[in-house]
Amino acid sequence: MPAALRWILYPILLIAGIVLASAALLGIAVILAYPQLPSLELLTDYQPKIPLRVYSADGYLIGEFGEERRALVRIEEVPAIMKQAILAAEDERFYQHGGVDTLGVLRAAYSNFIGAGKRQGASTITMQVARNFFLTTEKTLSRKLYEALLAFKIEHNLPKDEILQIYINQIYLGQRAYGFAAAAQIYFGKPLKDINIAEAAMLAGLPKAPSAYNPVANPKRAKLRQQYVLRRMHELGAISDAQLAEAQKQVLTIKHDANDFGVHAEFVAEMARQIVYERFQEDSYNKGLRVITTINRAEQAVAYASLRKGVMDYDRRHGYRGAEGYIDMQEIRSEQDDELLEEALADYDDSDELLAAVVLEANVKQIRAYLRGGEIITLTGDALKLASRMLDDKAPATRRLRRGAVIRLSKDDKQHWQISQMPEVEAAFLAASPVDGAIRALVGGFDFNRNKFNHATQAWRQPGSSFKPFIYSAALEKGYTPSSVIPDEPIVISAAETGSLAWEPKNYDGKYEGPMALRTGLAKSKNMVSIRLLKSIGTHYAQDYVTRFGFDAEKHPPYLTMALGAGSVTPWQQLTAYAIFANGGYKIEPHIVRQILDDKGNVLAESAPVVAGDEQLRVLDPRNAYLMDSMMHDVVRRGTATKALSLKRGDLAGKTGTTNDYIDAWFCGYQPTVVGVAWIGFDQPKKLGNGETGGTAALPMWIGFMEKALKGVPESYMEVPEGLVAIRANDPTGKSRGTEFIYQEHLPQDEEEQPGAMPDKQQAPAPVQDAKPRMVEKPVGTAP
């Protein structure tokens, strides 16, 4: 053999020998390893951890709890555009290869060879499934071998669509989201079926590096990855030229709060979570339980907006407090240093419409500020009015608006930017059906993320004058009538009577009008009338009487200060109590959960609410309820709640409440179909400010809700119950006030007797024991 030929042939034979030996070794490894591969039971019986989900009564997701955020979808429910985006980004030949894409491996090897260190992988979707379920992420030859073998095994045992379905539901996509359905909700606040091309491309770009391409944490890199996926989709014919151009320029709205579900019902969701956890413990968070609450999405949104507006209106009335904080601007030379600015803003969460911003420049004529995401806002003229005092050099150094100051920006009704601030005051609002107690809306505070304390259920506050109707109700049972006359005159309670110091209470406005009917005294919220009334019926009697409304006796000591609402209540208790007036005397229990379902939709438990009309639930004489309803209508028509007349309805009733020194402000009111309670005050009780009464600070929140909740609801009124007699009523001057009702047994013996005089006092009947709503077990097998 010629020498030249040997120099050619021997290397070829050597290489061939090495290849054959390697193939033999590989074959042996495969023969030895394949039987050791794990069972595919995890895939064939795929049961991932599904979080607890909380829904509104009309089917909207309002909360999610669990280690993994995941929503299972069947492959046929996945939009075609989403599947095309995934294949374009991860595995374009998924439906052609057998688990390992040989062409893809060769292409990646070539790219890596000429790419000067820029690595390109060749993992198929099937290989990713194998890795996620059975292997670690270590980069070793043995792990790669097992990954390839498992991919072959999976392809041999499962159809392509089932493999893709598992991938779509299992892959991690950042923000604790597992699967594309969960990611669509978390990043865009919408179900997977509703996403568009641009959103699909953004989601499809996440599996490669969920942290690096996270649109919340790294919006620029996420955008670059999205553009790559869009180009690949276009190259593969999944989208047209026009669709590519439109998707490339579309601005996506990214949710920065993973717990934002499109409607703010965080306090409701947390209440539901606690109820479920009490029953199912840790299984609550991974068995796919679903909770159906009683709230209505539209009404919840209105309640949230109304409370926020009421709080912000109050906050603006009391001036601007200055910068929320400061960031070090030494390394930040200009607004082009956006990464540093974004990092600085990371410590300041947005609060819905109140957006955190960093001041880049500030003087008396303008403020330039950097908003999260890179937008530069310039404020001039009227937009600076609120903050003008803090732009002055004489402003406190710790509050002055200067470069580096963190402020809040929001848009006004005309969508113009204005300077704003996070309020310090807190509030609560809740509304329910007075018929069965189903909560229709509940907002436990201004911002759940800032303060998770649920003021609607947990805040023990003085009710002030909103407690007076219960004193008046007790007096009716003692024989008083709405026309009974009580002096509105100064009173001094001796030290002997108080057991401490002498007490000289005053009316909130410092004015006294002399003798007046109870009806007028309640409408005008006269303290002197309430105190004299309580003194007449007895404090211990009143203390016992109010328990029938759901109040705790120990929270209302038997002193005359009870007449002014010096005890302690929660807004939830107030709702329960006012519902009794609204429904004619029945004690119903408010409840927030309607049903608890398993992952297959079987009912595990459901509420069995008591319903007004069941006489076993009666705690108040229907005549008493009617008369109190009548008097509280006057509070709206001509008393302290006349602002509610803006709703242009005659069937509204309720009572304002303002505590001593304007510490708490309330409005508790109702229409026969809905009862609502609004409260505002500071967590660490302090003065709200002169003039911040229940009618000024709390009533507007109630009106804002009722305006929407009662839209299209016809006016309705309580029917006159049996046992009431209509009589002529005169005011203290003798002038006729028209017809008034009185208990038949309280009718004066002498028909000529002035009905304004107080009839003989009668003992009140004992309250009837009320039944409470309960969660009823359903015979659907063992609960998770």
Side-chain angles (χ1 to χ4, degrees):
M1 181 181 296
L5 185 59
R6 286 200 301 270
W7 281 107
I8 296 173
L9 186 59
Y10 286 168
I12 293 175
L13 291 174
L14 179 62
I15 293 171
I18 293 172
V19 171
L20 289 172
S22 299
L25 289 173
L26 182 61
I28 294 170
V30 169
I31 292 170
L32 293 174
Y34 197 85
Q36 306 301 318
L37 294 176
S39 167
L40 299 184
E41 187 177 350
L42 276 175
L43 298 181
T44 56
D45 187 23
Y46 180 54
Q47 294 183 342
K49 293 180 179 178
I50 308 297
L52 167 67
R53 289 194 172 89
V54 184
Y55 295 87
S56 66
D58 43 351
Y60 291 91
L61 181 66
I62 62 172
E64 190 173 76
F65 304 92
E67 294 178 12
E68 301 176 359
R69 292 188 169 105
R70 192 194 309 273
L72 290 183
V73 290
R74 294 189 299 272
I75 191 65
E76 57 268 23
E77 297 171 337
V78 180
I81 197 66
M82 186 72 253
K83 287 187 280 190
Q84 291 163 349
I86 292 169
L87 297 179
E90 293 296 319
D91 190 355
E92 65 186 71
R93 298 187 65 254
F94 172 72
Y95 282 99
Q96 283 77 51
H97 63 66
V100 176
D101 186 3
T102 307
L103 291 177
V105 170
L106 294 175
R107 184 172 60 245
Y110 175 74
S111 178
N112 293 336
F113 179 74
I114 66 171
K118 187 176 181 180
R119 311 297 295 173
Q120 185 177 111
S123 288
T124 65
I125 283 176
T126 313
M127 292 169 72
Q128 291 183 56
V129 169
R131 184 192 315 144
N132 285 334
F133 277 91
F134 304 107
L135 302 172
T136 67
T137 57
E138 62 177 341
K139 295 182 178 181
T140 63
L141 186 61
S142 61
R143 197 270 292 167
K144 275 291 183 184
L145 175 61
Y146 270 99
E147 186 178 295
L149 293 177
L150 272 169
F152 284 127
K153 185 173 182 178
I154 291 169
E155 292 268 354
H156 183 71
N157 286 274
L158 297 176
K160 284 284 188 179
D161 277 353
E162 190 170 340
I163 296 170
L164 184 58
Q165 177 177 287
I166 291 171
Y167 177 82
I168 286 172
N169 285 306
Q170 179 67 21
I171 193 70
Y172 178 65
L173 299 171
Q175 301 290 96
R176 291 199 290 126
Y178 287 81
F180 287 91
Q185 179 66 52
I186 287 169
Y187 289 112
F188 302 117
K190 57 174 64 175
L192 188 62
K193 64 181 178 64
D194 293 338
I195 63 166
N196 57 42
I197 294 172
E199 291 165 341
M202 180 73 78
L203 294 177
L206 288 168
K208 183 176 179 64
S211 297
Y213 299 130
N214 184 324
V216 175
N218 297 298
K220 286 189 174 180
R221 295 180 71 178
K223 183 70 175 177
L224 290 173
R225 176 67 176 165
Q226 178 216 33
Q227 296 296 311
Y228 164 77
V229 175
L230 287 171
R231 290 193 300 272
R232 290 294 297 136
M233 293 174 71
H234 180 255
E235 290 167 5
L236 296 171
I239 57 176
S240 65
D241 293 346
Q243 288 174 315
L244 172 65
E246 182 181 355
Q248 284 179 325
K249 67 183 180 181
Q250 185 173 353
V251 177
L252 300 185
T253 301
I254 306 296
K255 281 173 50 183
H256 284 80
D257 180 3
N259 292 314
D260 181 1
F261 296 97
V263 58
H264 287 279
E266 295 90 345
F267 289 98
V268 175
E270 173 59 18
M271 290 172 69
R273 182 199 68 79
Q274 292 176 15
I275 291 170
V276 174
Y277 183 80
E278 184 178 344
R279 180 177 297 268
F280 300 112
Q281 297 298 301
E282 291 303 322
D283 280 345
S284 303
Y285 305 132
N286 53 40
K287 298 298 184 183
L289 299 185
R290 287 181 289 157
V291 184
I292 311 301
T293 64
T294 58
I295 70 163
N296 175 281
R297 181 180 186 268
E299 291 184 356
Q300 178 67 25
V302 169
Y304 175 81
S306 185
L307 180 142
R308 298 268 297 194
K309 183 179 185 304
V311 169
M312 292 306 298
D313 286 348
Y314 166 85
D315 194 67
R316 277 188 286 271
R317 290 196 294 269
H318 293 272
Y320 187 65
R321 295 180 296 278
E324 189 172 325
Y326 297 92
I327 64 172
D328 186 354
M329 298 287 284
Q330 289 185 350
E331 296 182 13
I332 301 174
R333 304 303 177 189
S334 72
E335 55 256 37
Q336 303 305 318
D337 296 326
D338 52 356
E339 289 190 12
L340 293 175
L341 287 165
E342 291 288 337
E343 184 179 345
L345 280 173
D347 293 331
Y348 297 87
D349 292 332
D350 292 337
S351 178
D352 203 3
E353 79 283 4
L354 296 176
L355 307 182
V358 179
V359 174
L360 301 173
E361 177 188 351
N363 55 55
V364 293
K365 292 185 177 181
Q366 73 169 18
I367 290 177
R368 293 180 66 252
Y370 178 95
L371 266 181
R372 200 186 322 268
E375 186 176 1
I376 308 297
I377 304 298
T378 300
L379 303 175
T380 60
D382 290 344
L384 297 178
K385 275 187 178 180
L386 182 68
S388 59
R389 187 172 63 88
M390 290 300 170
L391 288 166
D392 195 291
D393 291 339
K394 296 179 182 179
T398 57
R399 290 290 187 176
R400 187 164 61 87
L401 298 187
R402 55 176 172 78
R403 179 174 166 81
V406 177
I407 61 174
R408 296 282 167 171
L409 300 179
S410 63
K411 288 186 176 180
D412 60 19
D413 294 339
K414 296 180 179 179
Q415 296 303 297
H416 296 151
W417 286 106
Q418 61 180 355
I419 198 163
S420 191
Q421 64 186 346
M422 289 292 288
E424 294 178 343
V425 76
E426 274 293 356
F429 180 84
L430 65 165
S433 163
V435 177
D436 64 1
I439 297 293
R440 292 169 56 165
L442 184 148
V443 187
F446 183 80
D447 184 338
F448 179 81
N449 292 323
R450 182 180 69 160
N451 185 352
K452 293 179 172 55
F453 183 77
N454 191 338
H455 299 83
T457 60
Q458 297 175 297
W460 289 95
R461 309 292 296 211
Q462 287 190 340
S465 297
S466 66
F467 199 71
K468 288 176 181 176
F470 309 108
I471 305 300
Y472 277 64
S473 176
L476 293 182
E477 292 301 315
K478 279 284 194 175
Y480 283 85
T481 77
S483 293
S484 297
V485 176
I486 299 289
D488 175 32
E489 299 168 353
I491 187 173
V492 177
I493 309 300
S494 68
E497 291 179 276
T498 64
S500 179
L501 302 175
W503 181 41
E504 296 185 46
K506 295 178 173 58
N507 285 333
Y508 80 95
D509 57 3
K511 298 177 182 178
Y512 305 93
E513 300 182 34
M516 63 175 54
L518 291 192
R519 180 179 290 277
T520 303
L522 185 64
K524 295 187 176 183
S525 199
K526 292 294 186 176
N527 290 343
M528 301 303 104
V529 173
S530 299
I531 292 170
R532 284 187 164 90
L533 195 62
L534 177 58
K535 188 175 182 181
S536 173
I537 65 176
T539 56
H540 285 89
Y541 169 77
Q543 181 192 38
D544 179 67
Y545 184 86
V546 300
T547 60
R548 67 178 63 194
F549 292 93
F551 297 116
D552 303 326
E554 64 273 15
K555 298 284 188 181
H556 301 275
Y559 304 122
L560 291 178
T561 52
M562 192 194 317
L564 307 186
S568 295
V569 301
T570 66
W572 187 274
Q573 284 186 329
Q574 292 276 71
L575 186 84
T576 304
Y578 272 83
I580 294 171
F581 292 134
N583 64 32
Y586 301 96
K587 174 80 176 297
I588 50 90
E589 290 289 339
H591 60 282
I592 200 80
V593 169
R594 178 169 293 167
Q595 287 182 322
I596 301 174
L597 311 175
D598 67 12
D599 60 335
K600 295 180 175 60
N602 298 313
V603 179
L604 301 176
E606 62 184 0
S607 61
V610 296
V611 179
D614 182 348
E615 289 303 312
Q616 289 186 337
L617 309 179
R618 181 169 294 285
V619 295
L620 192 63
D621 189 306
R623 299 172 298 177
N624 189 304
Y626 178 84
L627 294 177
M628 288 305 306
D629 175 71
S630 171
M631 284 195 281
M632 282 192 283
H633 273 79
D634 273 10
V635 175
V636 174
R637 289 169 182 157
R638 58 189 181 91
T640 57
T642 53
K643 283 185 179 178
L645 293 176
S646 63
L647 295 175
K648 295 180 171 56
R649 300 182 67 99
D651 58 349
L652 305 176
K655 183 69 184 75
T656 54
T658 311
T659 62
N660 193 38
D661 286 334
Y662 302 96
I663 302 296
D664 296 272
W666 297 79
F667 185 74
C668 309
Y670 59 87
Q671 187 269 353
T673 64
V674 59
V675 56
V677 171
W679 165 84
I680 187 170
F682 290 95
D683 277 344
Q684 296 299 319
K686 65 178 182 178
K687 192 171 183 176
L688 286 166
N690 289 335
E692 296 292 354
T693 64
T696 300
L699 179 57
M701 293 188 283
W702 188 90
I703 292 172
F705 175 80
M706 291 295 176
E707 182 178 13
K708 301 294 184 182
L710 295 177
K711 188 175 183 179
V713 177
E715 289 192 14
S716 57
Y717 300 85
M718 195 178 296
E719 294 184 4
V720 181
E722 294 182 3
L724 285 179
V725 178
I727 61 172
R728 290 181 298 103
N730 298 338
D731 66 19
T733 66
K735 183 180 178 181
S736 175
R737 295 179 57 248
T739 300
E740 187 64 89
F741 286 100
I742 187 172
Y743 284 20
Q744 189 167 14
E745 62 267 29
H746 294 166
L747 189 66
Q749 297 296 317
D750 183 357
E751 292 184 0
E752 298 302 316
E753 183 181 340
Q754 288 293 327
M758 186 187 76
D760 293 337
K761 301 170 187 175
Q762 307 291 326
Q763 291 295 322
V768 179
Q769 183 67 34
D770 65 295
K772 295 184 178 181
R774 59 200 183 281
M775 296 300 291
V776 179
E777 295 289 355
K778 301 290 288 186
V780 293
T782 304

